[in-house]
């Protein structure tokens, strides 16, 4: 392939070309060794949804969320899997390919962005599962109702990508410099799952926790994912705070990454 086709060294075109190649490589490696392939990208959220649906509808009297509850769960669990798997991979983003990271002339941020992109593609490929459950719900007592809020779905995807890039630029170099942060990050993710409106909505929280929850950027992002099916999920406060925090994390991530890139390369 010629230089003109992929862009000059250091150009945005060359960066995007390399980003796509690395992301495609990740996806090929992940699925070429798996018999189930694509099914693995949807199996985890489906199993989680089934468990929480059973617990909150068959075992306990549910007082949170909206009907159909299984659709309510899946609309947040799918983006949560994207978030959780990306942040988990950030902890090994540079150590996994240390030799290549040291020798490449490509900006090192690509090792973070490739995770966001490859996991994001998996997320987009899992959306047909949500569509299937929406269709199935039409034959139940409580069908999911599509509304104008569905137009906010691309905004939710962009905001989550921005948030993940910012977090990746923070987490990835810090985990190289302090190895214990990898285990710490896993613990934080476990707590964050229950601190995020996945099995419940922000409006289900009592005062003042509903206001505090808005400062978790995932609250506003998940509200945007859900508002196309559950109009009551629209929360301008949580969505606005989530958008601002996502871009603040991106700015902080860029700043920290530039400061830590050289010490990180010495540590690899």
């Amino acid at each position: 392939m010629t230089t003109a086709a992929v862009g000059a060294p250091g150009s945005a075109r060359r960066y995007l070309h390399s980003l796509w190649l690395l992301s495609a490589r990740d996806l090929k490696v992940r699925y070429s060794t798996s018999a189930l392939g694509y099914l693995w990208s949807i199996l985890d959220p489906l199993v989680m949804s089934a468990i929480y649906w059973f617990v909150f509808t068959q075992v306990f009297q549910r007082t949170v969320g909206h009907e159909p509850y299984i659709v309510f769960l899946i609309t947040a669990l799918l983006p949560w899997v994207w978030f959780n798997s990306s942040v988990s991979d950030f902890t090994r983003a540079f150590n996994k390919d240390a030799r290549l990271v040291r020798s490449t002339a490509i900006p090192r941020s690509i090792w973070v962005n490739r995770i966001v992109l490859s996991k994001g593609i998996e997320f987009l490929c899992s959306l047909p599962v949500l569509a299937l459950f929406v269709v199935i719900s039409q034959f139940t007592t409580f069908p999911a109702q599509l509304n104008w809020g569905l137009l906010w779905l691309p905004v939710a995807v962009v905001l989550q990508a921005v948030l993940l890039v910012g977090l990746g630029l923070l987490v990835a170099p810090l985990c190289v410099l302090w190895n214990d942060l990898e285990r710490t990050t896993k613990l934080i993710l476990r707590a964050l799952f229950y601190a995020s409106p996945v099995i419940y909505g922000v409006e289900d929280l009592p005062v003042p926790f509903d206001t505090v929850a808005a400062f978790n950027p995932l609250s506003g992002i998940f509200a945007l994912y859900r508002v196309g099916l559950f109009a009551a999920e629209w929360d301008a406060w949580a969505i606005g705070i989530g958008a601002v925090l996502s871009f603040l994390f991106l700015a902080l991530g860029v700043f920290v990454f530039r400061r830590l890139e050289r010490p990180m390369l010495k540590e690899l």
Side-chain angles (χ1 to χ4, degrees):
M1 187 174 292
T2 64
T3 301
V6 299
S11 67
R13 188 173 181 180
R14 172 65 68 89
Y15 183 92
L16 291 174
H17 177 75
S18 301
L19 176 61
W20 174 250
L21 288 179
L22 289 171
S23 301
R25 185 200 68 171
D26 286 349
L27 292 170
K28 288 179 182 177
V29 170
R30 189 172 300 127
Y31 292 126
S32 63
T33 57
S34 171
L36 292 178
Y38 165 72
L39 290 179
W40 281 118
S41 65
I42 61 175
L43 195 58
D44 185 36
L46 280 179
V47 171
M48 291 175 66
S49 297
I51 292 172
Y52 286 114
W53 173 86
F54 179 79
V55 169
F56 286 103
T57 63
Q58 306 300 312
V59 179
F60 297 111
Q61 178 105 21
R62 178 176 56 84
T63 59
V64 298
H66 300 282
E67 294 289 356
Y69 188 59
I70 188 69
V71 175
F72 181 83
L73 283 172
I74 292 175
T75 50
L77 278 171
L78 291 179
W80 167 259
V81 169
W82 178 18
F83 179 86
N84 182 72
S85 59
S86 294
V87 175
S88 297
D89 281 6
F90 290 155
T91 62
R92 305 180 298 275
F94 294 115
N95 289 321
K96 185 178 179 181
D97 294 310
R99 183 178 300 177
L100 193 56
V101 173
R102 290 195 304 266
S103 61
T104 185
I106 304 172
R108 273 77 185 193
S109 61
I110 201 170
W111 302 100
V112 168
N113 293 333
R114 76 159 203 213
I115 293 173
V116 178
L117 180 58
S118 62
K119 298 295 184 182
I121 291 173
E122 288 184 339
F123 164 70
L124 293 176
C125 289
S126 69
L127 289 180
V129 176
L130 173 59
L132 176 62
F133 276 89
V134 170
V135 172
I136 293 174
S137 75
Q138 303 306 309
F139 303 97
T140 66
T141 307
F142 302 102
Q145 301 292 332
L146 295 176
N147 62 75
W148 61 269
L150 201 62
L151 298 174
W152 286 103
L153 179 61
V155 178
V157 173
V158 170
L159 283 180
Q160 184 166 349
V162 168
L163 174 63
L164 283 171
V165 170
L167 288 175
L169 294 175
L170 279 169
V171 172
L174 288 173
C175 284
V176 173
L177 298 174
W178 293 283
N179 293 329
D180 288 342
L181 282 179
E182 181 175 349
R183 294 182 179 179
T184 304
T185 301
K186 292 180 180 179
L187 292 175
I188 293 174
L189 285 172
R190 290 179 187 175
L192 186 60
F193 174 80
Y194 294 101
S196 301
V198 178
I199 58 179
Y200 57 86
V202 175
E203 74 279 1
D204 296 314
L205 296 172
V207 177
F209 297 108
D210 56 342
T211 301
V212 174
F215 289 90
N216 173 359
L218 292 178
S219 296
I221 293 172
F222 289 171
L224 282 176
Y225 280 117
R226 281 174 166 157
V227 73
L229 294 167
F230 308 97
E233 283 292 298
W234 177 262
D235 187 329
W237 167 255
I239 293 169
I241 294 295
V244 171
L245 287 176
S246 295
F247 282 97
L248 285 178
F249 270 111
L250 177 61
L252 179 62
V254 171
F255 174 78
V256 171
F257 187 80
R258 288 176 177 174
R259 291 296 185 92
L260 296 182
E261 183 175 5
R262 185 168 295 178
M264 176 194 71
L265 290 174
K266 291 180 179 179
E267 190 69 23
L268 287 174

